[in-house]
Amino acid sequence: MIRTLPRLLALSLAIALPGPALAAQTYALVVGADKYPNDVSLDGAVRDAEDVYRAMSAAGFTVVKFTDAEARKDVIRKAWTDMVATAAAGDTIIFTYAGHGAQMPELVAGDEADGLDEFLQLPGFDRNRYEETSNEIIVDNEMNAWFAEAEGKGVHVLFVSDSCFSGGMSRSVTGKSRLAPAVKVKLAPPSQEAIDGASFKEIDFKQVTVLAASLESQPTPEVIIDGEPRGALSWSFARAVEGSADRDGNGLITRIELEDYIFSNVKNRSEALQVPNFMPQVARSESEVVVTLTRGLPAGTASDTAAADRIVKPAGELGWTGKIALRIDGDAARPDRADGAGTPFRWDVASGVFYTPNGDVAAENVGPDRIQAVVDKFVLLDFLKAVASQNPGSVSLTPVKDIYAAGTRLRFDAPPGRYPNMLVFNLANTGEVQFLDMQAAGSGASQFKLTDVEVVKPFGADHLVTIWTAEPVDAIGAVLADPNVTAAALLQALTTRLDGKAASVAIQPLYTRETL
């Protein structure tokens, strides 16, 4: 739980620049692997690939997909070669990968600052039979050579890697990590490209963008989304391609639009376990386009409405059911709204610990008198995540960690949004709703800051929520201002007034424990 002291400061608005004048063709190569005969298999990578494939097919892209045993290096390489041969200058190739990543001693001496090459591990690779199966890894040098082929033709490349190569976490999460064991001994290069590609550096590319699931210092865990194991990056990228990242509705997703969308939704869906990593780290320009949702149409014709007027789907059409799945270990009555489907939350009645589907400790000292409030909090949180998936906002918590110890002091920032009204509140690990701020149109809306947030008992998972909307918020504010407000009452107010309406939501998870 947190103790807060708010501060308010003003924030200037940014100016968006227009995109290029003409859209082009987009080709996509989708790879996902769950079944690794020679390593730990995964649970959600094929589901990721199927989701991304559906989204990109619906967007009109020319898509090729390989999953599990189909994901062989020779067929992937041929598909890439064919796409580069077909694409013309100005077109885009998107390559998405969901599966294991790993590291090995660098193949070219002095090529890597850390002395390690990264590689995508395909299902056919067996580190105990490297010579026979080395053709079933794709080393980073090889990928650089592939990217150079496309860039040489003036073709843009976006590589989305939902895997990991190193890192560890402080939180105890039960989902599988997409990190395969490192190869410890120096081995022969799997191809001549693995040598030649060392001459191409990511900083030298002018039309290549890489989006990795997490920083190199972090793991990439599989997390539970809509009751199923998934990769948070793949899930978010699929929603982006469906159009949610296209904020101005012009059929073009700029690098900045994609950044804003991906960072927020990966945080929401991974419960702040990972931070995506873009390369280059800074957009080449404010108007740089990385995904084109139209096929050869003039830019700006993809939508006849402004972003604020786009159709907003109710949460129920986005997978929200108004209930969660809950496993009860012990003798206790089942609370309301806890009979949902999918990977369940878990309540240990004897210890009073309430766990998320990912295995995190969400709340302590949860007895029969408190369990309904905790369940209602996560039902409400799922609703807010559904709304955020269409139009996420951006907030920050510093310092950035995956878990915080008692006594830690933090800073929370929520800037003004695109809509004139703002609500800020905390959903505590107890299920308690803590009202922090409301700013209405004409009231001189400013940046909301909590400059002295202290981690105190009880420990678990708090969620700081900010909502921006053009809808009236006075009635919702009145509900929040009630010192006895419940998550169920707040959910009713939000669904009545904001479900299916234009609103932006940011969620900042805050996991705490007494000591690290």
Side-chain angles (χ1 to χ4, degrees):
M1 200 168 179
I2 60 174
R3 182 182 296 126
T4 65
L5 179 63
R7 296 286 186 272
L8 301 176
L9 290 177
L11 183 72
S12 61
L13 298 176
I15 300 174
L17 297 181
L22 185 67
Q25 303 295 315
T26 301
Y27 304 87
L29 173 57
V30 178
V31 177
D34 280 337
K35 297 178 181 177
Y36 284 86
N38 307 303
D39 217 318
V40 176
S41 290
L42 298 172
D43 297 321
V46 170
R47 191 175 287 115
D48 287 346
E50 298 288 355
D51 189 15
V52 170
Y53 174 80
R54 285 191 297 270
M56 293 203 289
S57 297
F61 303 169
T62 301
V63 193
V64 176
K65 171 174 61 71
F66 303 107
T67 57
D68 284 338
E70 301 172 339
R72 302 192 316 272
K73 186 176 181 178
D74 58 345
V75 299
I76 295 170
R77 183 64 171 106
K78 183 179 186 305
W80 178 268
T81 301
D82 291 346
M83 286 182 181
V84 172
T86 303
D91 289 346
T92 299
I93 299 176
I94 301 175
F95 180 7
T96 72
Y97 173 80
H100 274 314
Q103 293 178 314
M104 64 192 303
E106 61 184 359
L107 298 172
V108 177
D111 176 43
E112 300 287 347
D114 60 0
L116 298 169
D117 274 312
E118 285 77 38
F119 64 89
L120 308 182
Q121 180 172 317
L122 301 176
F125 179 64
D126 183 350
R127 67 196 62 246
N128 297 316
R129 296 187 303 114
Y130 178 81
E131 289 188 3
E132 302 100 301
T133 64
S134 64
N135 59 322
E136 293 306 326
I137 65 173
I138 305 176
V139 184
D140 51 6
N141 292 347
E142 294 176 300
M143 299 203 68
N144 285 342
W146 298 11
F147 297 161
E149 292 174 356
E151 182 154 293
K153 286 191 66 176
V155 175
H156 302 274
V157 174
L158 174 61
F159 176 49
V160 181
S161 177
D162 203 342
S163 61
C164 63
F165 304 104
S166 65
M169 68 180 77
S170 300
R171 279 156 54 186
S172 176
V173 175
T174 56
K176 294 177 179 177
S177 172
R178 294 184 177 180
L179 173 65
V183 173
K184 300 293 187 181
V185 297
K186 187 172 178 62
L187 301 171
S191 70
Q192 185 60 41
E193 280 184 338
I195 300 296
D196 298 340
S199 63
F200 301 106
K201 297 300 180 184
E202 289 164 351
I203 59 173
D204 296 329
F205 289 120
K206 306 302 181 186
Q207 298 186 96
V208 176
T209 300
V210 177
L211 173 53
S214 59
L215 303 172
E216 281 200 11
S217 60
Q218 294 179 313
T220 300
E222 292 194 328
V223 297
I224 303 303
I225 299 177
D226 296 333
E228 299 177 325
R230 291 293 306 269
L233 176 63
S234 295
W235 186 92
S236 300
F237 185 70
R239 308 289 79 75
V241 171
E242 288 173 345
S244 293
D246 181 19
R247 288 196 165 183
D248 57 9
N250 69 345
L252 304 172
I253 300 177
T254 67
R255 159 68 186 267
I256 291 175
E257 285 178 322
L258 187 63
E259 274 186 7
D260 290 344
Y261 186 82
I262 292 294
F263 276 115
S264 295
N265 272 288
V266 168
K267 178 196 289 184
N268 291 346
R269 295 295 171 166
S270 73
E271 286 290 293
L273 273 172
Q274 60 192 96
V275 178
N277 188 27
F278 276 86
M279 293 171 281
Q281 289 188 328
V282 178
R284 296 176 179 96
S285 73
E286 290 190 63
S287 58
E288 178 189 7
V289 173
V290 290
V291 180
T292 303
L293 301 179
T294 55
R295 294 176 57 85
L297 298 175
T301 62
S303 173
D304 294 325
T305 60
D309 297 324
R310 285 185 295 163
I311 296 175
V312 179
K313 294 181 180 179
E317 295 183 17
L318 300 168
W320 181 68
T321 62
K323 57 182 69 175
I324 63 169
L326 176 64
R327 186 180 110 195
I328 300 176
D329 292 345
D331 185 15
R334 179 170 295 278
D336 295 336
R337 295 173 287 283
D339 56 346
T343 304
F345 290 78
R346 182 168 70 89
W347 176 35
D348 187 313
V349 178
S351 67
V353 178
F354 188 88
Y355 298 90
T356 72
N358 294 328
D360 270 315
V361 174
E364 300 174 340
N365 304 316
V366 179
D369 61 331
R370 186 182 292 176
I371 184 62
Q372 187 65 63
V374 174
V375 167
D376 288 345
K377 169 199 166 166
F378 282 98
V379 172
L380 169 57
L381 193 61
D382 280 351
F383 168 78
L384 293 168
K385 287 181 178 181
V387 177
S389 70
Q390 299 180 92
N391 191 4
S394 179
V395 295
S396 64
L397 185 69
T398 53
V400 177
K401 295 182 179 181
D402 54 16
I403 194 163
Y404 300 87
T408 304
R409 294 195 175 265
L410 309 168
R411 170 172 169 156
F412 174 71
D413 291 88
R418 291 178 296 137
Y419 303 109
N421 303 321
M422 181 169 74
L423 296 163
V424 187
F425 54 91
N426 180 48
L427 299 178
N429 59 72
T430 58
E432 177 187 355
V433 178
Q434 299 172 330
F435 182 32
L436 299 176
D437 193 32
M438 180 179 77
Q439 298 181 16
S443 63
S446 60
Q447 182 168 4
F448 176 77
K449 292 178 180 290
L450 296 177
T451 57
D452 193 20
V453 179
E454 181 185 1
V455 175
V456 298
K457 290 182 179 181
F459 305 110
D462 283 35
H463 292 80
L464 289 154
V465 178
T466 305
I467 300 174
W468 300 266
T469 181
E471 299 296 317
V473 293
D474 292 319
I476 302 173
V479 172
L480 279 166
D482 182 346
N484 298 313
V485 61
T486 64
L490 178 57
L491 174 62
Q492 183 177 4
L494 292 173
T495 54
T496 300
R497 293 168 174 83
L498 295 185
D499 195 19
K501 306 290 180 62
S504 180
V505 174
I507 304 166
Q508 176 61 60
L510 173 57
Y511 282 77
T512 63
R513 65 170 63 143
E514 188 161 13
T515 59
L516 299 183

